[in-house]
């Protein structure tokens, strides 16, 4: 049997760029993009605009640099990987990192060492457009960036009770978001509304939590509940509907099970864990029926990466891989190499 053929090394127009090498400057050829004003008014050629500075966006910029492309990363927050910094414990990423802040710092340090990437923090993309020969990104400070291609990796934001058809919140009811929450001291029972994946992170981050965690969730969360099903602290409550009540002498919630049974539950605190919704900037991105932006549906010049792509692949490792892939697609397009 013959051996597996090696993947051909990418060749940048104007000369090769070895994997992991950062050329000192742009090479000649059609890969040069329109000039984008850099801080201080000095023109700087940019081939790729990356919207979003999370794991996917940062991976796109690092991959772009590894094949010799200059990029600019636009991030609304004041720090890179801000959402990742709210994950106390991670156990499914490569590299030995065990906490979100530690991983976020490592990613930010990688970008800081990359001369072909410029990072702009505290600016928000308010419009992303695909033109015939370029992509453009309008920022909330009035500037408009242009480059041959753009990768959009703006991720998702948490859903509120209003979009959960199975949940009714009465006036005065008290809730808190699960993301980044600390368990109340001496809590005996926590009521978690929804079985979205941050629940697993929460439980791993608090191994010493000695409390009953009652997880009320609708049918669409059944497959997500598998991640916490074996935790002895967790009691799953599959519901058809639940009403959250204001504090008083009675229960905090009344619910109807899927088999028609009804009941009530008491808890020391209620945490919302209802999932997330995609947060693409306005413009030319194509959304599906759920609001996500699948990569294969986008117009030429625009690529999507990370959690913005799909609800099914919202994992740190999947996000970084998709960011690298999006940057490579831009590189091959600039090189005239078919990507299939």
């Amino acid at each position: 049997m013959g051996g597996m053929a090696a993947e051909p090394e990418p060749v940048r127009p104007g000369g090769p760029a070895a994997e992991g090498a950062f050329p000192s400057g742009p090479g000649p050829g059609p890969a040069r993009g329109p000039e984008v004003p850099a801080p201080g008014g000095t023109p700087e050629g940019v081939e790729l605009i990356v919207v979003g500075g999370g794991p996917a966006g940062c991976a796109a910029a690092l991959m772009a640099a590894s094949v010799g492309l200059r990029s600019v990363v636009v991030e609304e927050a004041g720090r890179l990987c801000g959402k990742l910094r709210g994950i106390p414990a991670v156990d499914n990423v490569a590299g030995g990192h065990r906490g979100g802040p530690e991983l976020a710092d490592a990613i930010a340090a990688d970008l800081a060492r990359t001369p072909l990437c410029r990072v702009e923090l505290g600016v928000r993309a308010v419009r992303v457009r695909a033109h015939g020969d370029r992509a453009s990104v309008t920022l909330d400070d009035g500037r408009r960036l242009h480059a041959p291609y753009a990768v959009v990796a703006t991720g998702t934001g948490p859903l509120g009770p209003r979009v959960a058809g199975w949940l009714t919140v009465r006036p005065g009811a008290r809730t808190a978001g699960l993301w980044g929450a600390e368990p109340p001291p001496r809590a005996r029972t926590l009521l978690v509304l929804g079985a979205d994946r941050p629940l697993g992170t929460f439980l791993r981050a608090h191994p010493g939590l000695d409390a009953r965690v009652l997880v009320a969730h609708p049918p669409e969360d059944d497959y997500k509940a598998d991640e916490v099903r074996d935790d002895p602290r967790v009691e799953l409550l599959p519901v058809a509907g639940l009403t959250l009540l204001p504090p008083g002498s009675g229960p905090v919630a009344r619910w109807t099970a899927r088999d028609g049974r009804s009941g009530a539950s008491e808890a020391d605190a209620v945490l919302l864990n209802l999932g997330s919704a995609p947060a693409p900037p306005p413009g030319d991105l194509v959304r599906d029926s759920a609001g996500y932006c699948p990569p294969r549906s986008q117009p030429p010049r625009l690529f999507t990466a990370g959690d913005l792509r799909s609800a099914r692949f919202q994992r740190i490792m999947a996000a970084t891989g998709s960011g690298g892939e999006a940057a490579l697609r831009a590189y091959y397009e600039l090189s005239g190499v078919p990507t299939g």
Side-chain angles (χ1 to χ4, degrees), residues 35-114:
E35 291 185 339
V36 177
T42 303
E44 179 185 1
V46 170
E47 289 107 345
L48 186 67
I49 304 168
V50 181
V51 183
C58 292
L62 289 167
M63 180 61 75
S66 77
V67 292
L69 300 185
R70 290 187 181 273
S71 66
V72 56
V73 176
V74 177
E75 169 55 45
E76 180 178 1
R79 303 179 73 182
L80 293 173
C81 298
K83 189 174 181 181
L84 179 57
R85 296 177 188 278
I87 303 178
V90 294
D91 62 357
N92 57 356
V93 300
H97 300 289
R98 292 293 177 261
E102 172 194 355
L103 178 57
D105 286 342
I107 293 172
D110 284 340
L111 253 65
R113 291 190 292 265
T114 305

Side-chain angles (χ1 to χ4, degrees), residues 215-230:
V215 183
H217 63 93
E220 55 265 32
D221 280 3
D222 284 351
Y223 76 98
K224 301 177 185 178
D226 289 340
E227 184 176 345
V228 299
R229 192 179 302 275
D230 294 333

